[in-house]
Amino acid sequence: MADQAKPISPLKNLLAGGFGGMCLVFVGHPLDTVKVRLQTQPPNLPGQPPMYSGTFDCFRKTLMREGIMGLYRGMAAPIIGVTPMFAVCFFGFGLGKKLQQKHPEDVLSYPQLFAAGMLSGVFTTGIMTPGERIKCLLQIQASSGETKYTGALDCVKKLYKEAGIRGIYKGTVLTLMRDVPASGMYFMTYEWLKNILTPEEKSVNELSVPRILVAGGIAGIFNWAVAIPPDVLKSRFQTAPPGKYPNGFRDVLRELIRNEGITSLYKGFNAVMIRAFPANAACFLGFEVAMKFLNWAMPNL
């Protein structure tokens, strides 16, 4: 069971979650670029080697060809989107917990924490979908050699001109399929690990920085273990030319399995897992630090 010594404040979750999200992007974006390029690289032709042989090859080639900024390609969209997105994500989790409490001192079970996490996934989809669409398009254009978009704002303008708001929100269903169960796993695992790592004589709110980092990092790994298959489908669908997949994710799934096998659903697995621990450790540490500050500065918020 989760120890909840303080009343839940969704508003504090909103503010602290935004700061945690910024920490996650700065730490994790380079390997996110690698992940997207691995997931969207074209199938290699007979007798020819693939564009990237794996995570480290993609990282090395990107660094050599484009420098350090190549690894941070497309970061403007997630930075602009991720602060409100993680703010809404943690707000949704806080609200989900509060809605299941009959009294402020009630301790939630792990299935209830999972349900609260799933609600956060629903909340974030409206912000996450366009941010992911823009990010993926900017990340793959550099590796393809074609420069269609000069930046995030130019990408939004051209997508809207081509297909209206539907073009910007392409991939919404797949984002929901990825984020709802993954967010449930994310928050439940974090709360479970915090309880396990808290010494018997101490409160969960007094957890040390190294233990917060461990709990946050492992929660990120569990999150992505659930999220990778729909994330591969989403990346392919969001970066495909208009009309390529008329039946949505079903067409993407059929094509991937037919051409590349079931293992293609785990493309970018190494990049995701290498990124998941430090990025999510940074996210939860940022969240906990911001929450401690808010509890000190605004105890009645």
Side-chain angles (χ1 to χ4, degrees), residues 233 236-237 245 248-257:
L233 298 177
R236 282 290 178 101
F237 183 68
Y245 301 116
F249 75 90
R250 289 171 295 176
D251 285 350
V252 188
L253 181 61
R254 274 194 292 265
E255 181 188 81
L256 269 174
I257 292 177

Side-chain angles (χ1 to χ4, degrees), residues 64-100:
M64 286 176 63
R65 292 171 184 167
E66 303 168 51
I68 191 70
M69 294 307 296
L71 294 167
Y72 280 93
R73 189 82 59 186
M75 195 176 76
I79 276 287
I80 293 166
V82 93
T83 302
M85 190 276 292
F86 266 83
V88 169
C89 177
F90 279 86
F91 172 82
F93 180 58
L95 182 63
K97 289 193 291 183
K98 195 162 189 174
L99 288 173
Q100 295 180 87

